[in-house]
Amino acid sequence: MNKVKIHFLGASGTVTGSKFYLETPEQNILVDCGMFQGVKELRELNWEPLPIDASKINCVLLTHGHLDHTGYLPRLVKEGFKGDIIGTPPTLAIAGIILRDSAKIHEEEAERANKEEYSKHNPALPYYNHKDAEKTIGMFSYSEKDEWIPLSENIRFRFRYNGHIIGATFIEVDLYGKMFVFSGDVGRSEDLLLFPPERPEWADYLFLESTYGNKLHPEEDVENILAELITRTIREGGNLIIPSFAVERLQSLMYLLWKLYQENKIPNIPIFIDSPMGNNVLSVFETYPQWHKLSIKEYKAMCNHFNIITSYGDTWKTIDDPRPKVVIAGSGMVTGGRVLTYLKQMVDRTSTTVLLVGYQAEGTRGRQLYDGAHEIKIFGKYIPVKATVKHLESLSAHADQNELLHWIQKIKNIPERTFLIHGEPASLDAFRVKIKTSNGWQVHVPHLHEVVELSL
C-alpha cells in the first residue's frame, strides 16, 4: 500500500489562495500556488510560511495563470522551493505577466505607504519584488495539453483544456493507478472567446471548484445593457468605468464593444483600455491562436478600434478629457491597478457609472461597491460614492452550478471522494448537498490546512 497525504493549503472554505499538496513516496507535488485575496484575515495568511517544507516539493503544476492560483510562487521560491513550475505555454505566459505586474504593484504600494505613512509597518516592505518574480519565472517549464508527462515510475499527469481563461486546464494526476482530477477553474460552455471546457471521464479522487456552486448565472442581454449604459453616459456627459480582470474579461469586453460598434448598435464613443497587464495579455492571444476562437484578422481589427493607454501620464490625460467616454481598467475586484486612480477622481460624481463585470470576493472594494457602500477607501482616504453601480454577472468566466454539474456528468465511475474547494461557505454547502442528492457521491468540504491521508 502506498500512503498519499493531501494537504489543503488554500482555497479551502474560501475562494482564493489555491494550493493543494500531494505528498507521496515518489514525488511531492503542489497543484497551484495562489495568493489569498479579499478580507484582511485572508490576506494576512499570505505572510505566514506554509506548514510544509517548500524545499521538499519536486514540482508545481499550474491549472492556469490567475493570481489566486500563481501569486504565491515567488514566496514559495523564497521558502526554498527549487523544482520546476509546469503549465501550458499560454498559462506560463499569463503567469509571467501577472507575477511581473503583481511585483510592480507590491513595490508601488510599499513605496506609497512609506511616503504617506498609512501603514503600521515601518518601513512597509513589498510582498515580493521584481527580482523575486524574475527568479520564479526562470523556473517555468511548459507542457502541452493532452500529453501524459511522467514524473516518476508510478506518477504521471496531463493538462486538459478547460476554458475559463486562455491556457487554462484541469489536471489529471495518475498516482499508482488512481486518477486524481483537479478541476482548476471551470470555464463557461458558451464563452465569447474560448472553446467549451473538456470534461473528465474518470476520477477516483475529484477536487472540484465551487465558486458558483449555489448559483445560476442570469440570462442577461449583455449587448443591450452595454448599449444602454453607453447611451446614458453620452446623454449625461459622464464616464462609464469598467473595472476589469486583465485576463479574458478585458478581451471579452473589447470583443463585445467592437462587435456593437460594427453592428451600429453604439456610436463611436472614445473607449480607453488602461491595463498594462491587459495589453500584454492581448499579445498572448496573438501568440496562441489555437487556444481561442478569434481569427488573427478579427483580433487585429478589434485592437485597432480602441485607445490603448501605455503610460501613467496618459491615464491623467484620459481623466482630464472632458468628453463622455468608456474606460476599462484593471483590476476586476478594484483591489489595485489603474482603476483606483479613475475611481478616486470620478466615483464621487453622479454622472459616473461603474460597471462590475465578474465575481467580487468578500473584503474587496468591488464587493463594497456591489453591496452599495456609501464610501470606499482608496490610497488611505475615504471617497464618497455618488456614482451609479451596475453589475453584469453573466460575463463571469466561471461555470455556474448547472455547468459544473454538466462538467462532472461525463465521469463514468463513482469517485471514492469528492472534495469541494474554491468556494465561499454558503456555496460549498449548497453544492455539497446538490451533488450528494443528484449523484449520490461522497462529498467532503475540507478546511484550511486539513490533511487527508489515503492508502492507494
PDB file of all heavy atoms in Angstrom, residues 221-238:
ATOM      1  N   ASP A 221     -29.222  40.201 -21.339  1.00  0.00           N
ATOM      2  CA  ASP A 221     -28.921  40.692 -22.689  1.00  0.00           C
ATOM      3  C   ASP A 221     -27.743  41.656 -22.559  1.00  0.00           C
ATOM      4  O   ASP A 221     -27.916  42.872 -22.450  1.00  0.00           O
ATOM      5  CB  ASP A 221     -30.149  41.380 -23.286  1.00  0.00           C
ATOM      6  CG  ASP A 221     -29.942  41.755 -24.742  1.00  0.00           C
ATOM      7  OD1 ASP A 221     -28.779  41.820 -25.188  1.00  0.00           O
ATOM      8  OD2 ASP A 221     -30.947  41.997 -25.434  1.00  0.00           O
ATOM      9  N   VAL A 222     -26.535  41.087 -22.546  1.00  0.00           N
ATOM     10  CA  VAL A 222     -25.322  41.871 -22.262  1.00  0.00           C
ATOM     11  C   VAL A 222     -25.142  42.996 -23.272  1.00  0.00           C
ATOM     12  O   VAL A 222     -24.817  44.133 -22.912  1.00  0.00           O
ATOM     13  CB  VAL A 222     -24.083  40.952 -22.232  1.00  0.00           C
ATOM     14  CG1 VAL A 222     -22.809  41.770 -22.059  1.00  0.00           C
ATOM     15  CG2 VAL A 222     -24.195  39.942 -21.097  1.00  0.00           C
ATOM     16  N   GLU A 223     -25.364  42.693 -24.535  1.00  0.00           N
ATOM     17  CA  GLU A 223     -25.170  43.705 -25.578  1.00  0.00           C
ATOM     18  C   GLU A 223     -26.113  44.883 -25.354  1.00  0.00           C
ATOM     19  O   GLU A 223     -25.708  46.052 -25.455  1.00  0.00           O
ATOM     20  CB  GLU A 223     -25.387  43.086 -26.964  1.00  0.00           C
ATOM     21  CG  GLU A 223     -24.299  42.088 -27.339  1.00  0.00           C
ATOM     22  CD  GLU A 223     -24.424  41.624 -28.782  1.00  0.00           C
ATOM     23  OE1 GLU A 223     -25.231  42.218 -29.530  1.00  0.00           O
ATOM     24  OE2 GLU A 223     -23.716  40.684 -29.161  1.00  0.00           O
ATOM     25  N   ASN A 224     -27.370  44.595 -25.044  1.00  0.00           N
ATOM     26  CA  ASN A 224     -28.353  45.657 -24.834  1.00  0.00           C
ATOM     27  C   ASN A 224     -28.021  46.487 -23.590  1.00  0.00           C
ATOM     28  O   ASN A 224     -28.136  47.719 -23.595  1.00  0.00           O
ATOM     29  CB  ASN A 224     -29.752  45.054 -24.713  1.00  0.00           C
ATOM     30  CG  ASN A 224     -30.841  46.099 -24.760  1.00  0.00           C
ATOM     31  OD1 ASN A 224     -30.825  46.988 -25.601  1.00  0.00           O
ATOM     32  ND2 ASN A 224     -31.780  46.021 -23.827  1.00  0.00           N
ATOM     33  N   ILE A 225     -27.585  45.803 -22.525  1.00  0.00           N
ATOM     34  CA  ILE A 225     -27.218  46.518 -21.291  1.00  0.00           C
ATOM     35  C   ILE A 225     -26.049  47.460 -21.552  1.00  0.00           C
ATOM     36  O   ILE A 225     -26.058  48.626 -21.141  1.00  0.00           O
ATOM     37  CB  ILE A 225     -26.877  45.505 -20.168  1.00  0.00           C
ATOM     38  CG1 ILE A 225     -28.144  44.775 -19.715  1.00  0.00           C
ATOM     39  CG2 ILE A 225     -26.231  46.211 -18.973  1.00  0.00           C
ATOM     40  CD1 ILE A 225     -27.887  43.556 -18.841  1.00  0.00           C
ATOM     41  N   LEU A 226     -25.016  46.966 -22.249  1.00  0.00           N
ATOM     42  CA  LEU A 226     -23.857  47.822 -22.567  1.00  0.00           C
ATOM     43  C   LEU A 226     -24.276  49.006 -23.442  1.00  0.00           C
ATOM     44  O   LEU A 226     -23.847  50.142 -23.200  1.00  0.00           O
ATOM     45  CB  LEU A 226     -22.777  46.992 -23.285  1.00  0.00           C
ATOM     46  CG  LEU A 226     -21.894  46.104 -22.410  1.00  0.00           C
ATOM     47  CD1 LEU A 226     -21.043  45.184 -23.276  1.00  0.00           C
ATOM     48  CD2 LEU A 226     -20.993  46.936 -21.502  1.00  0.00           C
ATOM     49  N   ALA A 227     -25.105  48.745 -24.442  1.00  0.00           N
ATOM     50  CA  ALA A 227     -25.557  49.822 -25.331  1.00  0.00           C
ATOM     51  C   ALA A 227     -26.326  50.892 -24.554  1.00  0.00           C
ATOM     52  O   ALA A 227     -26.127  52.103 -24.764  1.00  0.00           O
ATOM     53  CB  ALA A 227     -26.412  49.249 -26.458  1.00  0.00           C
ATOM     54  N   GLU A 228     -27.203  50.462 -23.633  1.00  0.00           N
ATOM     55  CA  GLU A 228     -27.982  51.418 -22.827  1.00  0.00           C
ATOM     56  C   GLU A 228     -27.076  52.241 -21.904  1.00  0.00           C
ATOM     57  O   GLU A 228     -27.280  53.450 -21.734  1.00  0.00           O
ATOM     58  CB  GLU A 228     -29.029  50.669 -22.003  1.00  0.00           C
ATOM     59  CG  GLU A 228     -30.230  50.217 -22.824  1.00  0.00           C
ATOM     60  CD  GLU A 228     -31.256  49.465 -21.982  1.00  0.00           C
ATOM     61  OE1 GLU A 228     -31.029  49.309 -20.759  1.00  0.00           O
ATOM     62  OE2 GLU A 228     -32.279  49.033 -22.554  1.00  0.00           O
ATOM     63  N   LEU A 229     -26.082  51.593 -21.284  1.00  0.00           N
ATOM     64  CA  LEU A 229     -25.162  52.314 -20.396  1.00  0.00           C
ATOM     65  C   LEU A 229     -24.337  53.339 -21.164  1.00  0.00           C
ATOM     66  O   LEU A 229     -24.079  54.441 -20.672  1.00  0.00           O
ATOM     67  CB  LEU A 229     -24.236  51.327 -19.676  1.00  0.00           C
ATOM     68  CG  LEU A 229     -24.887  50.464 -18.584  1.00  0.00           C
ATOM     69  CD1 LEU A 229     -23.892  49.453 -18.044  1.00  0.00           C
ATOM     70  CD2 LEU A 229     -25.419  51.339 -17.445  1.00  0.00           C
ATOM     71  N   ILE A 230     -23.957  52.996 -22.386  1.00  0.00           N
ATOM     72  CA  ILE A 230     -23.185  53.937 -23.207  1.00  0.00           C
ATOM     73  C   ILE A 230     -24.067  55.101 -23.647  1.00  0.00           C
ATOM     74  O   ILE A 230     -23.637  56.270 -23.624  1.00  0.00           O
ATOM     75  CB  ILE A 230     -22.552  53.192 -24.406  1.00  0.00           C
ATOM     76  CG1 ILE A 230     -21.365  52.353 -23.897  1.00  0.00           C
ATOM     77  CG2 ILE A 230     -22.089  54.167 -25.485  1.00  0.00           C
ATOM     78  CD1 ILE A 230     -20.829  51.352 -24.878  1.00  0.00           C
ATOM     79  N   THR A 231     -25.315  54.825 -24.000  1.00  0.00           N
ATOM     80  CA  THR A 231     -26.264  55.898 -24.355  1.00  0.00           C
ATOM     81  C   THR A 231     -26.442  56.852 -23.173  1.00  0.00           C
ATOM     82  O   THR A 231     -26.435  58.079 -23.330  1.00  0.00           O
ATOM     83  CB  THR A 231     -27.624  55.293 -24.768  1.00  0.00           C
ATOM     84  OG1 THR A 231     -27.412  54.426 -25.883  1.00  0.00           O
ATOM     85  CG2 THR A 231     -28.613  56.378 -25.141  1.00  0.00           C
ATOM     86  N   ARG A 232     -26.603  56.285 -21.968  1.00  0.00           N
ATOM     87  CA  ARG A 232     -26.770  57.097 -20.760  1.00  0.00           C
ATOM     88  C   ARG A 232     -25.524  57.946 -20.482  1.00  0.00           C
ATOM     89  O   ARG A 232     -25.611  59.130 -20.125  1.00  0.00           O
ATOM     90  CB  ARG A 232     -27.054  56.180 -19.563  1.00  0.00           C
ATOM     91  CG  ARG A 232     -27.185  56.891 -18.231  1.00  0.00           C
ATOM     92  CD  ARG A 232     -27.504  55.886 -17.114  1.00  0.00           C
ATOM     93  NE  ARG A 232     -27.671  56.565 -15.836  1.00  0.00           N
ATOM     94  CZ  ARG A 232     -26.703  56.733 -14.949  1.00  0.00           C
ATOM     95  NH1 ARG A 232     -25.485  56.278 -15.202  1.00  0.00           N
ATOM     96  NH2 ARG A 232     -26.923  57.359 -13.814  1.00  0.00           N
ATOM     97  N   THR A 233     -24.366  57.344 -20.675  1.00  0.00           N
ATOM     98  CA  THR A 233     -23.099  58.059 -20.448  1.00  0.00           C
ATOM     99  C   THR A 233     -22.975  59.258 -21.374  1.00  0.00           C
ATOM    100  O   THR A 233     -22.581  60.353 -20.953  1.00  0.00           O
ATOM    101  CB  THR A 233     -21.908  57.086 -20.658  1.00  0.00           C
ATOM    102  OG1 THR A 233     -22.009  56.022 -19.708  1.00  0.00           O
ATOM    103  CG2 THR A 233     -20.577  57.790 -20.486  1.00  0.00           C
ATOM    104  N   ILE A 234     -23.350  59.062 -22.638  1.00  0.00           N
ATOM    105  CA  ILE A 234     -23.290  60.166 -23.613  1.00  0.00           C
ATOM    106  C   ILE A 234     -24.297  61.250 -23.244  1.00  0.00           C
ATOM    107  O   ILE A 234     -23.997  62.457 -23.255  1.00  0.00           O
ATOM    108  CB  ILE A 234     -23.540  59.631 -25.044  1.00  0.00           C
ATOM    109  CG1 ILE A 234     -22.372  58.727 -25.471  1.00  0.00           C
ATOM    110  CG2 ILE A 234     -23.718  60.789 -26.031  1.00  0.00           C
ATOM    111  CD1 ILE A 234     -22.636  57.934 -26.732  1.00  0.00           C
ATOM    112  N   ARG A 235     -25.519  60.829 -22.893  1.00  0.00           N
ATOM    113  CA  ARG A 235     -26.588  61.775 -22.558  1.00  0.00           C
ATOM    114  C   ARG A 235     -26.214  62.654 -21.359  1.00  0.00           C
ATOM    115  O   ARG A 235     -26.484  63.851 -21.339  1.00  0.00           O
ATOM    116  CB  ARG A 235     -27.877  61.010 -22.272  1.00  0.00           C
ATOM    117  CG  ARG A 235     -29.092  61.899 -22.044  1.00  0.00           C
ATOM    118  CD  ARG A 235     -30.374  61.102 -21.890  1.00  0.00           C
ATOM    119  NE  ARG A 235     -30.380  60.289 -20.668  1.00  0.00           N
ATOM    120  CZ  ARG A 235     -30.399  58.969 -20.670  1.00  0.00           C
ATOM    121  NH1 ARG A 235     -30.424  58.292 -21.811  1.00  0.00           N
ATOM    122  NH2 ARG A 235     -30.410  58.301 -19.537  1.00  0.00           N
ATOM    123  N   GLU A 236     -25.554  62.048 -20.352  1.00  0.00           N
ATOM    124  CA  GLU A 236     -25.215  62.781 -19.134  1.00  0.00           C
ATOM    125  C   GLU A 236     -23.810  63.393 -19.167  1.00  0.00           C
ATOM    126  O   GLU A 236     -23.395  64.020 -18.194  1.00  0.00           O
ATOM    127  CB  GLU A 236     -25.356  61.848 -17.925  1.00  0.00           C
ATOM    128  CG  GLU A 236     -26.782  61.350 -17.743  1.00  0.00           C
ATOM    129  CD  GLU A 236     -27.006  60.663 -16.415  1.00  0.00           C
ATOM    130  OE1 GLU A 236     -26.067  60.593 -15.596  1.00  0.00           O
ATOM    131  OE2 GLU A 236     -28.147  60.198 -16.196  1.00  0.00           O
ATOM    132  N   GLY A 237     -23.122  63.205 -20.285  1.00  0.00           N
ATOM    133  CA  GLY A 237     -21.775  63.765 -20.402  1.00  0.00           C
ATOM    134  C   GLY A 237     -20.834  63.198 -19.348  1.00  0.00           C
ATOM    135  O   GLY A 237     -19.961  63.908 -18.827  1.00  0.00           O
ATOM    136  N   GLY A 238     -21.025  61.918 -19.030  1.00  0.00           N
ATOM    137  CA  GLY A 238     -20.267  61.316 -17.931  1.00  0.00           C
ATOM    138  C   GLY A 238     -19.227  60.306 -18.373  1.00  0.00           C
ATOM    139  O   GLY A 238     -18.729  60.342 -19.510  1.00  0.00           O
TER     140      GLY A 238
END
